[in-house]
Amino acid sequence: MRARLGSLLFGGSCFLCRGSASALLCAACDADLPRLAAERCPRCALPSPRGETCGRCLAHPPHYDATVAALSYAFPADALVHALKFRGELALAPLLAGLLSESIDSGADYLLPVPLSRERLRQRGYNQALEIARHLRRGRLLVDACERSRDTAPQLELPYQERRRNVRGCFIAKRAFDGAVVALVDDVMTTGATLDEMARTLKAAGASRVVNWVVTRTLLDA
Ligand SMILES: [Zn+2]
Ligand SMILES: [Zn+2]
């Protein structure tokens, strides 16, 4: 799996179009990335007129306080996330972290990658969220401060309404977060139910503010 890293780093060709490139992506593919427009809800990062808090966040405020997302979960950003997550293309982690970092304008006391269950971590061999968080350097990285208490069905396989129930109580904070500002790092945010549950857990453990830092955001209602 990790052997692919070498060809990526030294092949001199763009990861997406295979044209010649001095970085992982050629300039044209980099320019084609679906960067998100500025007018988004500061809380959930979905499009909202004039960048105001959206109706859904006003009606049902999530436990997280803000969301920073770099890209829409659309081609080719979805292909990059997929390759990092399922094909072991770990060399994409610094690229995706760099794109995310460009969108972040604040710091945090702690960076927490959204954890995988032990079983999934064993299957995959790495946590893609941790691989991204390693390269952010915008707060102290805590690797085991929050764990999954149980395996949950993959959120993508569930209807929207069931996702919240699926993750309810699935995280355990392993330390106190007295007054801390915590940033949750993940590769993709879909309904936000997982991040909301993690934020709920960390606030119960004392965090004063929880923000989501995600590389990609799905923009369609699932
Ligand atoms: Zn290219
Ligand atoms: Zn919102």
Side-chain angles (χ1 to χ4, degrees), residues 41 43-44 54 57:
C41 169
R43 194 116 182 208
C44 71
C54 72
C57 286

Side-chain angles (χ1 to χ4, degrees), residues 153-222:
Q155 291 286 84
L156 285 172
E157 294 171 9
L158 296 173
Y160 179 79
Q161 310 89 299
E162 285 176 32
R163 293 183 180 190
R164 191 166 298 276
R165 205 177 325 142
N166 182 45
V167 294
R168 181 84 186 171
C170 81
F171 293 108
I172 300 173
K174 308 292 280 186
R175 55 167 288 163
F177 286 89
D178 303 326
V181 175
V182 181
L184 311 182
V185 179
D186 213 351
D187 53 339
V188 54
M189 176 175 182
T190 307
T191 64
T194 302
L195 290 160
D196 189 40
E197 179 61 18
M198 192 167 166
R200 190 184 72 79
T201 304
L202 297 178
K203 286 201 166 167
S208 65
R209 181 176 164 82
V210 177
V211 299
N212 304 322
W213 290 351
V214 295
V215 176
T216 60
R217 179 72 167 103
T218 57
L219 297 183
L220 300 174
D221 271 2

Side-chain angles (χ1 to χ4, degrees), residues 13-21 24-30:
S13 60
C14 171
F15 182 77
L16 288 168
C17 73
R18 303 294 170 194
S20 88
L24 277 179
L25 299 186
C26 71
C29 285
D30 183 83

